[in-house]
Amino acid sequence: MAVVDIAIPCHRYGHFLKDCVESVQAQSLRDVRILIIDDASPDDSAETAHALAAGDPRIEVIVHERNRGALATYDEGIAWATSPYLLLLSADDFLAPGALARAAALMDAHPKVALTYGRSVDLHEGDPEPAFSDPDAPPEWRVRSGEAFIREHCERIRNLVPTPSAIVRTAVQKRVGGYDRSLPHAGDMEMWMRLAAYGDVADTPLTQAVYRLHGSNMSRAYYARILVDYEQRALAFDTLFKHHGPRVPNARRHHALARRRLAEAAYWTGVARCCRGDMAIGRDVLGFGLALRPRMRLLPPVGQLFRHERPDRTIASVLSDGLRRLALRAGLVPQPSAKGP
């Protein structure tokens, strides 16, 4: 019986698929099953998947006749899994050496751990493959309660888990269910917190996976829509605490913290966009923050600025952009010249 099931959703990533699968095949932990799910790709993804399966009996392939979307494909992988541990690995990402063995050993030793993750290295197009640490070196793990993990997300209001490194306990994943269709852009964050409502969480500073950055990444196109980002994160927290709050100690306090942090961050994002001349987006994001926390109309959340690593640079950048726009309007500095063809 396999120890880890790896479901690999693939759409238009045929040129990355071989690297992804080979990173699994090269793992020191050999007791794995691999399911490649081609979501009706218009490229050669299906052909590549079948060629890989022909050379390795551990690989299965499913090819959709019509595109079902990312979340439905993830759920298909969850439904397929029967091994103790599960990884959903996008076809454009790949694993670091020793990643599966490290996570499996940790979860074997700590039966209450529902989720493990580690560092993920960003790989830009054209960059050489990163160097990895010795896969046999004993890893350092931090095991903490699910409540502590959820509180950290409420404090920092963003996804803290590099998705390609997230290896979960299959039984807990089956218990909490699949992805929420109302969260196409914040589903991962909500899922990690949902798992934490049912178990402990462990993380390591070692690199567990590599995340490719390229023009086709869904997240890159998405994050251009700032307001949608804030709305999705707010909905992720609301959904978590509505459905799983009774399992989280101090849930009401943590939920209030998340909404406050989101409101404060949206306030300053809106102000910054307005100072930089993006008035429509700035007003929308600022309005979102004020709707979450109306008291900010009278008292700006100054403390939020100092949660940045370099608050002086953040403040200086926003002020300099605003002052430059005022100077341009007053004719105190020349207008920038138009670029030629």
Side-chain angles (χ1 to χ4, degrees):
M1 180 178 177
V3 174
V4 184
D5 285 339
I6 300 98
I8 303 177
C10 182
H11 182 65
R12 300 176 182 266
Y13 286 158
H15 53 303
F16 294 131
L17 182 58
K18 187 171 183 288
D19 287 346
C20 176
V21 172
E22 287 182 345
S23 77
V24 177
Q25 293 172 317
Q27 293 289 305
S28 57
L29 180 65
R30 307 291 296 169
D31 299 329
V32 301
R33 293 194 310 154
I34 303 168
L35 174 65
I36 303 171
I37 308 174
D38 175 54
D39 197 20
S41 298
D43 62 3
D44 64 347
S45 294
E47 291 81 357
T48 301
H50 284 301
L52 290 166
D56 191 335
R58 298 174 298 172
I59 301 176
E60 304 172 43
V61 178
I62 294 175
V63 178
H64 293 165
E65 292 186 2
R66 59 178 181 83
N67 183 266
R68 300 181 186 178
L71 298 187
T73 306
Y74 299 162
D75 285 350
E76 191 171 1
I78 292 170
W80 162 80
T82 58
S83 297
Y85 310 124
L86 167 66
L87 167 64
L88 298 177
L89 181 65
S90 178
D92 57 333
D93 301 327
F94 58 95
L95 293 177
L100 297 181
R102 284 190 288 268
L106 182 282
M107 287 191 282
D108 285 347
H110 296 270
K112 291 184 179 180
V113 168
L115 165 67
T116 70
Y117 66 96
R119 182 168 173 258
S120 177
V121 176
D122 290 344
L123 182 65
H124 296 265
E125 287 184 278
D127 286 352
E129 184 174 312
F132 299 106
S133 57
D134 179 3
D136 297 322
E140 297 179 10
W141 286 97
R142 173 182 62 157
V143 178
R144 61 198 191 279
S145 69
E147 182 196 358
F149 175 84
I150 291 170
R151 179 184 167 79
E152 187 176 1
H153 275 77
C154 294
E155 178 75 35
R156 300 176 67 180
I157 56 168
R158 63 181 180 85
N159 181 20
L160 303 176
V161 178
T163 299
S165 76
I167 300 173
V168 307
R169 193 175 297 276
T170 305
V172 181
Q173 180 70 79
K174 299 276 191 180
R175 183 178 182 184
V176 305
Y179 280 76
D180 191 315
R181 296 299 191 273
S182 69
L183 295 167
H185 305 299
D188 283 339
M189 183 176 75
E190 189 272 338
M191 179 60 78
W192 311 144
M193 292 191 293
R194 199 193 315 171
L195 288 162
Y198 289 78
D200 295 339
V201 178
D203 66 282
T204 176
L206 292 181
T207 298
Q208 288 285 85
V210 176
Y211 178 80
R212 289 189 193 270
L213 291 170
H214 52 84
S216 301
N217 285 98
M218 291 188 300
S219 58
R220 297 189 72 178
Y222 161 69
Y223 278 113
R225 303 198 300 272
I226 300 172
L227 180 59
V228 175
D229 175 28
Y230 277 109
E231 290 173 338
Q232 281 277 289
R233 282 190 278 170
L235 182 58
F237 286 111
D238 290 348
T239 300
L240 171 78
F241 288 109
K242 177 181 178 181
H243 297 295
H244 306 281
R247 297 193 58 87
V248 181
N250 303 303
R252 186 172 299 178
R253 184 189 309 167
H254 298 327
H255 192 189
L257 173 64
R259 291 177 67 84
R260 183 169 74 251
R261 289 286 187 262
L262 276 170
E264 292 170 349
Y267 180 97
W268 289 115
T269 298
V271 169
R273 298 319 305 172
C274 289
C275 288
R276 289 168 176 155
D278 211 345
M279 300 300 295
I281 292 177
R283 284 193 298 265
D284 287 345
V285 177
L286 183 58
F288 170 82
L290 293 174
L292 281 180
R293 194 166 176 79
R295 69 174 64 181
M296 295 187 305
R297 296 179 185 275
L298 301 175
L299 187 62
V302 177
Q304 171 67 22
L305 290 175
F306 295 93
R307 295 190 186 98
H308 293 271
E309 290 185 7
R310 288 296 306 271
D312 55 334
R313 290 184 180 178
T314 302
I315 296 169
S317 175
V318 172
L319 289 177
S320 64
D321 286 346
L323 290 172
R324 179 168 177 78
R325 286 190 57 81
L326 290 174
L328 284 170
R329 289 182 180 179
L332 299 177
V333 296
Q335 293 285 340
S337 58
K339 292 183 179 180

XYZ file of all heavy atoms in Angstrom, residues 294-341:
372
model
N -16.209 50.779 10.555
C -16.622 52.171 10.349
C -15.893 53.181 11.235
O -15.769 54.355 10.852
C -18.124 52.138 10.665
C -18.539 50.722 10.437
C -17.359 49.905 10.848
N -15.398 52.754 12.404
C -14.744 53.704 13.303
C -13.498 54.335 12.678
O -13.022 55.369 13.146
C -14.380 53.033 14.614
C -13.259 51.997 14.504
C -12.842 51.455 15.855
N -13.932 50.734 16.499
C -13.838 50.176 17.705
N -12.706 50.274 18.393
N -14.845 49.529 18.232
N -12.969 53.732 11.618
C -11.781 54.291 10.982
C -12.078 55.601 10.262
O -11.157 56.321 9.882
C -11.167 53.277 10.010
C -10.621 52.027 10.664
S -9.703 50.919 9.545
C -10.905 50.644 8.244
N -13.364 55.923 10.054
C -13.708 57.230 9.474
C -13.254 58.360 10.384
O -12.923 59.455 9.910
C -15.222 57.319 9.256
C -15.766 56.323 8.246
C -17.265 56.453 8.094
N -17.803 55.434 7.222
C -17.854 55.511 5.902
N -17.400 56.613 5.297
N -18.356 54.522 5.180
N -13.229 58.103 11.683
C -12.837 59.127 12.647
C -11.393 58.963 13.111
O -10.725 59.957 13.423
C -13.773 59.081 13.858
C -15.264 59.306 13.575
C -16.072 59.122 14.844
C -15.480 60.705 12.995
N -10.910 57.721 13.160
C -9.577 57.469 13.700
C -8.834 56.512 12.773
O -9.051 55.311 12.810
C -9.683 56.858 15.102
C -8.366 56.682 15.856
C -7.698 58.032 16.108
C -8.610 55.958 17.184
N -7.953 57.035 11.915
C -7.205 56.168 11.001
C -6.374 55.139 11.758
O -5.840 55.436 12.839
C -6.296 57.149 10.243
C -6.979 58.468 10.358
C -7.646 58.462 11.709
N -6.243 53.940 11.220
C -5.495 52.865 11.903
C -3.983 53.027 11.719
O -3.342 52.275 10.978
C -6.019 51.600 11.219
C -6.350 52.039 9.825
C -6.866 53.448 9.966
N -3.405 53.985 12.412
C -1.985 54.297 12.247
C -1.109 53.091 12.599
O -0.075 52.845 11.970
C -1.601 55.510 13.121
C -0.104 55.797 13.022
C -2.408 56.728 12.709
N -1.527 52.303 13.582
C -0.727 51.164 14.001
C -0.474 50.164 12.888
O 0.560 49.485 12.876
N -1.403 50.067 11.924
C -1.242 49.118 10.831
C 0.021 49.410 10.015
O 0.696 48.504 9.533
C -2.487 49.163 9.921
C -2.376 48.390 8.628
C -2.293 46.887 8.838
O -2.704 46.392 9.877
N -1.776 46.172 7.859
N 0.360 50.689 9.855
C 1.533 51.042 9.063
C 2.810 50.446 9.649
O 3.741 50.110 8.923
C 1.674 52.566 8.979
C 0.625 53.308 8.136
C 0.839 54.807 8.267
C 0.711 52.876 6.682
N 2.857 50.318 10.950
C 4.077 49.867 11.606
C 4.187 48.347 11.693
O 5.113 47.828 12.296
C 4.173 50.498 12.997
C 4.332 51.993 12.929
C 3.221 52.822 12.975
C 5.581 52.552 12.764
C 3.355 54.200 12.889
C 5.727 53.928 12.669
C 4.616 54.763 12.727
N 3.222 47.645 11.068
C 3.350 46.195 10.986
C 4.148 45.779 9.766
O 4.464 44.603 9.594
C 1.965 45.540 10.964
C 1.194 45.761 12.256
C -0.054 44.923 12.350
N -0.801 45.302 13.540
C -1.829 46.132 13.539
N -2.261 46.652 12.394
N -2.435 46.448 14.653
N 4.457 46.735 8.882
C 5.322 46.436 7.748
C 6.760 46.271 8.233
O 7.152 46.824 9.264
C 5.262 47.558 6.700
C 3.930 47.671 6.029
N 3.616 46.965 4.904
C 2.835 48.408 6.335
C 2.377 47.255 4.531
N 1.886 48.136 5.383
N 7.561 45.537 7.460
C 8.955 45.341 7.849
C 9.705 46.666 7.887
O 10.547 46.893 8.740
C 9.634 44.368 6.882
C 9.148 42.933 7.014
C 9.924 41.988 6.133
O 10.926 42.425 5.518
O 9.539 40.806 6.046
N 9.435 47.541 6.917
C 10.079 48.849 6.882
C 8.995 49.917 6.769
O 8.696 50.410 5.675
C 11.050 48.949 5.708
C 12.314 48.139 5.863
C 13.177 48.606 7.026
N 13.494 50.022 6.981
C 14.576 50.513 6.351
N 15.415 49.702 5.756
N 14.808 51.818 6.347
N 8.337 50.282 7.873
C 7.252 51.269 7.796
C 7.716 52.615 7.269
O 6.955 53.317 6.611
C 6.769 51.366 9.248
C 7.898 50.850 10.069
C 8.557 49.808 9.238
N 8.985 52.980 7.525
C 9.479 54.265 7.030
C 9.468 54.303 5.510
O 9.083 55.316 4.902
C 10.885 54.529 7.571
C 11.861 53.395 7.264
O 11.396 52.242 7.097
O 13.076 53.666 7.188
N 9.868 53.205 4.879
C 9.872 53.167 3.416
C 8.453 53.190 2.852
O 8.183 53.808 1.825
C 10.604 51.912 2.930
C 12.109 51.946 3.183
C 12.772 50.717 2.597
N 14.211 50.723 2.832
C 15.026 49.750 2.453
N 14.546 48.683 1.828
N 16.332 49.841 2.701
N 7.549 52.459 3.513
C 6.160 52.428 3.052
C 5.551 53.821 3.090
O 4.938 54.280 2.115
C 5.331 51.474 3.933
O 5.914 50.170 3.899
C 3.897 51.401 3.448
N 5.716 54.501 4.220
C 5.146 55.845 4.366
C 5.794 56.809 3.389
O 5.117 57.607 2.720
C 5.325 56.329 5.818
C 4.525 55.434 6.768
C 4.865 57.772 5.962
C 4.844 55.661 8.234
N 7.118 56.743 3.269
C 7.823 57.656 2.366
C 7.399 57.449 0.916
O 7.236 58.411 0.163
C 9.329 57.463 2.514
N 7.211 56.189 0.526
C 6.817 55.903 -0.854
C 5.454 56.486 -1.177
O 5.258 57.130 -2.216
C 6.815 54.390 -1.082
O 6.323 54.075 -2.362
N 4.492 56.272 -0.274
C 3.142 56.790 -0.508
C 3.147 58.320 -0.512
O 2.555 58.965 -1.398
C 2.168 56.256 0.567
C 0.821 56.944 0.446
C 2.004 54.755 0.428
N 3.835 58.935 0.451
C 3.864 60.395 0.520
C 4.551 61.008 -0.688
O 4.097 62.018 -1.239
C 4.570 60.845 1.803
C 3.803 60.593 3.111
C 4.654 61.029 4.298
C 2.474 61.346 3.106
N 5.653 60.410 -1.129
C 6.364 60.977 -2.275
C 5.526 60.901 -3.539
O 5.515 61.827 -4.350
C 7.697 60.248 -2.481
O 7.480 58.889 -2.819
N 4.786 59.792 -3.713
C 3.907 59.687 -4.877
C 2.810 60.740 -4.829
O 2.483 61.380 -5.838
C 3.275 58.293 -4.942
C 4.258 57.229 -5.389
O 5.326 57.606 -5.898
O 3.960 56.037 -5.215
N 2.220 60.924 -3.641
C 1.161 61.923 -3.506
C 1.663 63.338 -3.728
O 1.021 64.140 -4.426
N 2.814 63.653 -3.143
C 3.368 64.997 -3.323
C 3.745 65.251 -4.773
O 3.566 66.366 -5.292
C 4.590 65.169 -2.413
C 4.283 65.234 -0.911
C 5.582 65.212 -0.103
C 3.472 66.503 -0.582
N 4.263 64.255 -5.452
C 4.621 64.441 -6.858
C 3.392 64.717 -7.706
O 3.421 65.562 -8.601
C 5.359 63.203 -7.377
C 5.735 63.332 -8.861
C 6.709 62.264 -9.300
N 6.984 62.385 -10.723
C 7.806 63.280 -11.268
N 8.430 64.159 -10.494
N 8.002 63.311 -12.581
N 2.309 64.027 -7.418
C 1.086 64.287 -8.189
C 0.591 65.702 -7.955
O 0.148 66.387 -8.878
C 0.004 63.272 -7.803
C 0.248 61.876 -8.366
C -0.961 60.997 -8.165
N -2.147 61.582 -8.774
C -2.433 61.505 -10.070
N -1.602 60.900 -10.889
N -3.533 62.045 -10.543
N 0.651 66.165 -6.694
C 0.241 67.537 -6.411
C 1.144 68.533 -7.136
O 0.671 69.546 -7.679
C 0.278 67.786 -4.903
C -0.788 67.066 -4.068
C -0.536 67.288 -2.585
C -2.188 67.560 -4.450
N 2.452 68.263 -7.170
C 3.383 69.158 -7.845
C 3.135 69.191 -9.342
O 3.225 70.246 -9.986
C 4.817 68.717 -7.547
N 2.804 68.021 -9.916
C 2.491 67.972 -11.347
C 1.264 68.818 -11.668
O 1.237 69.587 -12.637
C 2.264 66.523 -11.779
C 3.507 65.646 -11.950
C 3.102 64.185 -12.133
C 4.311 66.108 -13.167
N 0.244 68.696 -10.832
C -0.987 69.455 -11.072
C -0.750 70.951 -10.934
O -1.368 71.764 -11.646
C -2.074 69.011 -10.089
C -2.619 67.619 -10.374
C -3.722 67.259 -9.405
N -4.263 65.934 -9.669
C -5.235 65.368 -8.954
N -5.746 66.018 -7.922
N -5.673 64.169 -9.262
N 0.145 71.337 -10.019
C 0.424 72.760 -9.796
C 1.431 73.317 -10.797
O 1.726 74.517 -10.772
C 0.937 72.964 -8.371
N 1.981 72.461 -11.666
C 2.952 72.918 -12.646
C 4.326 73.176 -12.054
O 5.154 73.849 -12.684
N 4.595 72.651 -10.864
C 5.890 72.896 -10.217
C 6.984 71.989 -10.765
O 8.171 72.270 -10.590
C 5.762 72.695 -8.706
C 4.767 73.629 -8.002
C 4.667 73.282 -6.534
C 5.186 75.090 -8.190
N 6.601 70.879 -11.379
C 7.575 69.996 -12.040
C 7.054 69.705 -13.437
O 5.844 69.758 -13.681
C 7.751 68.691 -11.244
C 8.327 68.945 -9.886
C 6.432 67.929 -11.124
N 7.956 69.460 -14.396
C 7.507 69.213 -15.751
C 6.766 67.901 -15.886
O 7.036 66.945 -15.172
C 8.822 69.190 -16.546
C 9.861 68.798 -15.551
C 9.422 69.433 -14.259
N 5.802 67.865 -16.800
C 5.085 66.643 -17.073
C 6.027 65.628 -17.711
O 6.925 66.006 -18.482
C 3.902 66.912 -18.045
C 2.811 67.764 -17.447
C 1.954 66.993 -16.458
O 1.938 65.765 -16.478
N 1.231 67.710 -15.606
N 5.887 64.333 -17.406
C 6.756 63.328 -18.047
C 6.493 63.284 -19.535
O 5.355 63.407 -19.985
C 6.355 62.025 -17.361
C 4.980 62.269 -16.824
C 4.919 63.738 -16.459
N 7.564 63.148 -20.296
C 7.430 63.114 -21.756
C 6.905 61.771 -22.193
O 7.169 60.739 -21.568
C 8.788 63.374 -22.406
O 9.718 62.412 -21.976
N 6.119 61.792 -23.269
C 5.578 60.545 -23.797
C 6.683 59.731 -24.447
O 7.575 60.269 -25.099
C 4.477 60.841 -24.816
N 6.636 58.414 -24.264
C 7.626 57.539 -24.866
C 7.343 57.351 -26.337
O 6.200 57.294 -26.761
C 7.652 56.182 -24.164
C 8.167 56.237 -22.734
C 8.230 54.843 -22.154
C 8.776 54.890 -20.722
N 8.855 53.530 -20.126
N 8.413 57.297 -27.104
C 8.261 57.047 -28.533
C 7.935 55.606 -28.803
O 7.940 54.763 -27.898
N 7.675 55.260 -30.050
C 7.351 53.878 -30.386
C 8.532 52.965 -30.182
O 9.665 53.360 -30.228
C 6.936 53.956 -31.856
C 7.644 55.186 -32.390
C 7.697 56.141 -31.248
